[in-house]
Amino acid sequence: MNTFDLSVVLSGQYHEWLVSGFLLSIQLALITLVIALPLAIVLAVLRLAPYAPLRGISIIYVEAIRNVPLLAHMLFWYFGAPELLPAGIKAWIYQHNIEAVSAVIALVLYTAAYMAEDIRSGLRAIPKEQMEAGRTLGFGFISTMRLVILPQSLRVTVPPLISQTLNLWKNTSIAMVIGVAEMMYQAQQVESATFRGFESFAVTTAGYVSVSIVITLLSSWYQQRYPVRSA
Amino acid sequence: MLDIIQTYGLYYLIGQYPNGPLGGLLMTLILAASALVLAFPVGVVLALCRISPFAILRVPVTGMVYVLRGTPLLMVIFWAYFLLPTLTGQRTDQFGTMLVALVIFDGVYLAEIIRAGILGLPRGQMESSRSLGFSYLSTMLLVILPQAFRNMLPSLVNQFVSTIKETSLGYIISLSEVSFVASQISAQLPTKPIEIYALLGLTYFVMCFSLSRFAYWLEKHLAVRSAKV
Amino acid sequence: MIKLENVNKWYGSYHALADINETVAKGEVVVVCGPSGSGKSTMIRTLNRLEAIQSGNIFIDGVDIHARSVSVNALRSRIGFVFQQFNLFPHLTVLQNCTLAPRRLRKLPAKEANDLAMSLLERVGLAHKAGAYPGELSGGQQQRVAIARALAMNPPVMLFDEPTSALDPEMVGEVLQAMKGLAKEGMTMVCVTHEMGFAREVADRVIFMDQGRVLERATPESFFLTPEHPRAQRFLSDIRSPMAGGGISLAS
């Protein structure tokens, strides 16, 4: 078993396992991104709202989520939360891929907390006079946000958001802990079945690094193409 | 809730010690602290290589940093779990595996923090020290790093917070850190997962939140003795 | 003492120093002046190898400073260099700034190093600030400490790169005092400076540079009273009456 033999993982059944894992990882990341980003924008805007209770909700959310590891979140949503549901819904969920649902919930809440902070920094980078100018023209808080502040803050915010997407991509691996058959889980499975850990892990590492490189290049391209301009 | 804490409290805090290995919350803290302390010299060496004028040092290290930053920590843990017994010739225990994985992973992140700290100092510091006759390395040790360290202290505390959260992944290799212990307790009490996992969340929250506040306080407090351009 | 022979330096295609040939004798005080970008800072920085040269030779005390056998650190420990931005070490006290090199490089024991540093700080009038940190001192005080720090290694030659240019006017005098004291004691000094008063009082020779070349060398009297090179004449008149020839007229 000492010869390095990539053929085991480059074709055939085990290859299929790894590929399906890779695809599921990508799916997890994309679904999370689509839900987390709007949630993060809402949280960021709440943080800057004129009413203290609304600000408080946002602050508590972000601090509570960020100071707890993603693994603990996943354990909670998979083992803990379903107990709160009434028996009927609970049974239905257990039949319908509770693992993936719990994982996505945990990922969405976790990622949104970090993205909210990045968006908030982006919003704070815009001088407050811009908000004053919008309000003076007669726009409400939300409209000013939508028409004046958010479009300007985009350039500052996008690079950190891309960086969070990179973290999200790597975080999908933690879903294996609650049994989601994404790429890391499959790497383990292949290793157990074939005892070819080196090959299995090497290919999986390549899988993660390749998408990471794409994301990093995207960030560099964006910063090159849309550099931050100040007034 | 209270009787859970009473029955399992000690197990949660320090594991099976003294009737077994150390575990629980204490294990989490010891693992995180050891990892960061050991990762720091690794980070310094990597940072110096990253800014080195010698391509033979700079290029491989830069490549390694990029690869490691694109890999999940879980992957690094599996690599360590898989390779360490082969490399050391003996069975490596979970603590050792986790420690090695964290030192490598955090070393790379620390390298970036340290690099930023070094590059943030005015060039004149290096020049004046070299003009006195100190070598590059002596200057690093006597002049640059002491100042950079002071500047990066808040970032280092934040990294400690991240490391504490990273220790939770020891769960996957059955290391008795606090998340694993919580799941063991939950297995004994199958009707109370919410209380247990909520307690787990609260534990992490208290640790991490207080440390982040400390980092914030440090940042405010450390303005004085830094070099101004 | 110092000899530059056919020294040339390029930054890419920009010819920063062109065919510099100069000598500084032991005990001489030489002032280098010229407009911005003339290469005067670059030239003085080549003397302790803070800047590299592409061709030519530099000899200090008869030794080719670029020879393979010469250790750059040993060379620099024998040359005192004072920067425009002082560059004191902010994490060390004034005393520690001065004793760091003697203790680590010359292996002086703590007591001797401290005594040496204190006597130097007395000379520049800052013995009472020995326990303070650079951040607590004014610019003029910091620069005087920087001079003491450089002197602590007992160098045979001191180089000054625009030592008063970053100072508020009222502090320039105290630094020039310290430098004059050094000159009177016979130190070999090369100073890049705009302080013409200092040059007139203390310098043995003035070197005028522009665009990387030495255009004129003379004694201070003849340079300031009767400069020969037209560029030097223009430079001196610009310094003396900045608003005269070539200003913008608001009336037109």
Side-chain angles (χ1 to χ4, degrees), chain B residues 4-195:
Chain B
I4 299 180
I5 297 181
Q6 231 167 345
T7 329
Y8 294 99
L10 215 54
Y11 177 48
Y12 188 72
L13 287 176
I14 60 175
Q16 294 171 317
Y17 194 81
N19 301 319
L22 207 56
L25 186 53
L26 194 54
M27 159 68 79
T28 293
L29 288 170
I30 290 180
L31 179 60
S34 323
L36 206 59
V37 162
L38 290 175
F40 193 77
V42 171
V44 169
V45 170
L46 290 178
L48 290 179
C49 289
R50 281 275 263 145
I51 61 178
S52 165
F54 303 116
I56 192 155
L57 287 176
R58 194 182 60 241
V59 172
V61 170
T62 306
M64 182 180 116
V65 166
Y66 274 106
V67 167
L68 270 164
R69 290 181 71 171
T71 313
L73 174 56
L74 204 39
M75 188 87 250
V76 177
I77 295 174
F78 279 138
W79 274 116
Y81 195 73
F82 184 68
L83 286 179
L84 276 177
T86 327
L87 287 175
T88 60
Q90 34 178 266
R91 286 196 47 169
T92 319
D93 68 330
Q94 297 114 324
F95 182 81
T97 306
M98 197 62 194
L99 188 63
V100 169
L102 283 176
V103 166
I104 295 175
F105 195 75
D106 284 343
V108 166
Y109 277 88
L110 280 179
E112 292 303 284
I113 295 177
I114 295 170
R115 188 173 81 104
I118 291 176
L119 294 179
L121 293 179
R123 233 184 74 186
Q125 291 294 301
M126 172 61 80
E127 284 193 345
S128 63
S129 174
R130 299 282 339 249
S131 295
L132 284 169
F134 285 108
S135 68
Y136 179 83
L137 275 178
S138 298
T139 304
M140 273 296 164
L141 286 173
L142 295 170
V143 175
I144 305 290
L145 287 174
Q147 291 184 63
F149 184 76
R150 215 156 289 201
N151 290 345
M152 47 167 141
L153 217 44
S155 298
L156 288 180
V157 176
N158 279 321
Q159 184 61 39
F160 186 50
V161 171
S162 294
T163 309
I164 288 179
K165 294 195 293 178
E166 287 161 9
T167 58
S168 64
L169 294 186
Y171 174 97
I172 289 152
I173 55 173
S174 305
L175 176 67
S176 301
E177 46 72 53
V178 73
S179 298
F180 183 76
V181 164
S183 70
Q184 295 291 85
I185 297 176
S186 179
Q188 307 253 353
L189 301 171
T191 53
K192 302 205 176 290
I194 298 191
E195 286 93 329

Side-chain angles (χ1 to χ4, degrees), chain C residues 118-155:
Chain C
M118 285 304 287
S119 73
L120 288 170
L121 287 172
E122 290 253 13
R123 262 167 79 178
V124 297
L126 286 170
H128 59 293
K129 290 281 189 184
Y133 283 91
E136 303 163 43
L137 303 182
S138 72
Q141 291 171 324
Q142 288 189 53
Q143 193 62 300
R144 285 186 278 152
V145 173
I147 295 175
R149 179 177 68 171
L151 287 173
M153 290 297 276
N154 202 13

Side-chain angles (χ1 to χ4, degrees), chain A residues 60 63-72 75-76 79-81 83-84 110 114 166-167 169-171 173-174 176-177 184 187-188 191 195-202 204-205 208-209 212 216, chain B residues 66-76 78-79 82-83 105 109 161 164-166 168-169 171-172 177 179-180 183 186 190-191 193-194 197-198 200-202 204-206 208-210 212-213:
Chain A
I60 293 176
E63 289 301 320
I65 302 278
R66 286 198 329 171
N67 284 300
V68 176
L70 182 57
L71 184 112
L75 293 177
F76 178 81
F79 290 117
E83 299 302 313
L84 287 172
Y110 193 75
Y114 281 90
L166 181 62
N167 286 338
W169 168 242
K170 293 188 286 177
N171 284 339
S173 60
I174 300 183
M176 75 157 281
V177 164
M184 191 66 78
Q188 258 291 64
E191 195 267 330
F195 293 104
R196 291 203 172 270
F198 201 91
E199 291 86 338
S200 170
F201 293 152
T204 312
T205 306
Y208 278 111
V209 172
S212 299
T216 311
Chain B
Y66 274 106
V67 167
L68 270 164
R69 290 181 71 171
T71 313
L73 174 56
L74 204 39
M75 188 87 250
V76 177
F78 279 138
W79 274 116
F82 184 68
L83 286 179
F105 195 75
Y109 277 88
V161 171
I164 288 179
K165 294 195 293 178
E166 287 161 9
S168 64
L169 294 186
Y171 174 97
I172 289 152
E177 46 72 53
S179 298
F180 183 76
S183 70
S186 179
T191 53
I194 298 191
Y197 288 112
L200 181 63
L202 189 62
Y204 278 114
F205 178 78
V206 168
C208 297
F209 185 72
S210 21
S212 334
R213 289 282 103 194

